[in-house]
């Protein structure tokens, strides 16, 4: 699936996302000027249910983390940290997870969580490997979970929160 063949793209306010000619094998275009907050969606037609290895063709002049967050039909399925490939047109294939996919039409979304990469293509390769576990979604902390006595750092003069005290302390004075 060529990266520039999205079915939908939403650029962030700071984005100049677009396509450019690529020097990668096979020529054609790649997606460049990718910024945090951009996303691209692709319509996939999976002919046969089964396990598939995800591969991504990327280039980066310095690397980028956390990179791409990949969702399938709204479910987080993969996360790709971009390696430093040594240049905007120095291409490297990054291997993602092995996924179990149902047959039929699917929507794959690439959400950009950090800037600094070019994207040429993604690939689904049928695999006999067992499917990998999906990424773990860590729920956000709520204010009610912060009630109690806890300390932000273990060194002297660190900020502490004291339950019921109605304030904070830096071990030098109570406020």
């Amino acid at each position: 699936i060529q990266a520039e063949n999205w079915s939908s793209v939403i650029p962030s306010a700071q984005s100049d996302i677009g396509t450019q000619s690529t020097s990668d094998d096979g020529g054609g275009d790649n997606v460049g000027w990718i910024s945090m907050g951009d996303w691209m969606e692709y319509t996939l037609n999976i002919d046969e249910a089964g396990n598939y290895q995800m591969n991504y063709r990327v280039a980066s002049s310095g690397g980028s983390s956390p990179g791409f967050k990949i969702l399938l039909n709204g479910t987080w399925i993969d996360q790709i940290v971009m390696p430093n490939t040594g240049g905007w047109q120095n291409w490297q294939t990054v291997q993602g997870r092995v996924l179990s996919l149902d047959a039929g039409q699917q929507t794959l979304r690439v959400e950009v969580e950090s800037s600094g990469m070019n994207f040429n293509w993604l690939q689904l390769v049928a695999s006999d490997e067992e499917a990998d576990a999906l990424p773990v979604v860590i729920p956000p902390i709520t204010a009610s979970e912060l009630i109690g006595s806890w300390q932000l750092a273990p060194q002297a003069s660190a900020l502490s929160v004291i339950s019921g005290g109605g304030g904070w302390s830096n071990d030098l004075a109570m406020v």
Side-chain angles (χ1 to χ4, degrees), residues 84-148:
N84 178 358
T85 66
W88 298 112
Q89 292 293 318
N90 292 343
W91 295 96
Q92 183 175 328
T93 301
V94 175
Q95 192 173 50
R97 285 182 161 78
V98 175
L99 305 169
S100 178
L101 301 178
D102 294 329
Q105 190 172 22
Q106 317 280 340
T107 300
L108 185 130
R109 179 183 283 195
V110 176
E111 292 185 352
V112 182
E113 294 197 324
S114 58
S115 302
M117 75 284 289
N118 284 346
F119 182 33
N120 195 10
W121 51 255
L122 63 93
Q123 179 183 53
L124 298 163
V125 179
S127 176
D128 292 329
E129 299 282 324
E130 184 176 323
D132 294 317
L134 295 178
V136 176
V137 177
I138 300 172
I141 296 174
T142 63
S144 63
E145 294 171 311
L146 297 176
I147 296 172

Side-chain angles (χ1 to χ4, degrees), residues 145-156:
E145 294 171 311
L146 297 176
I147 296 172
S149 180
W150 48 275
Q151 188 173 356
L152 294 176
Q155 67 269 17

Side-chain angles (χ1 to χ4, degrees), residues 42-84:
Y42 303 88
T43 300
L44 308 179
N45 292 304
I46 307 299
D47 293 331
E48 186 176 328
N51 291 350
Y52 292 85
Q53 171 70 57
M54 296 287 294
N55 295 314
Y56 308 87
R57 190 73 166 167
V58 297
S60 178
S61 182
S64 186
S65 180
F68 288 161
K69 180 178 186 177
I70 312 299
L71 296 98
L72 187 69
N73 302 322
T75 300
W76 184 21
I77 60 167
D78 210 353
Q79 184 81 38
I80 303 300
V81 172
M82 300 303 148
N84 178 358

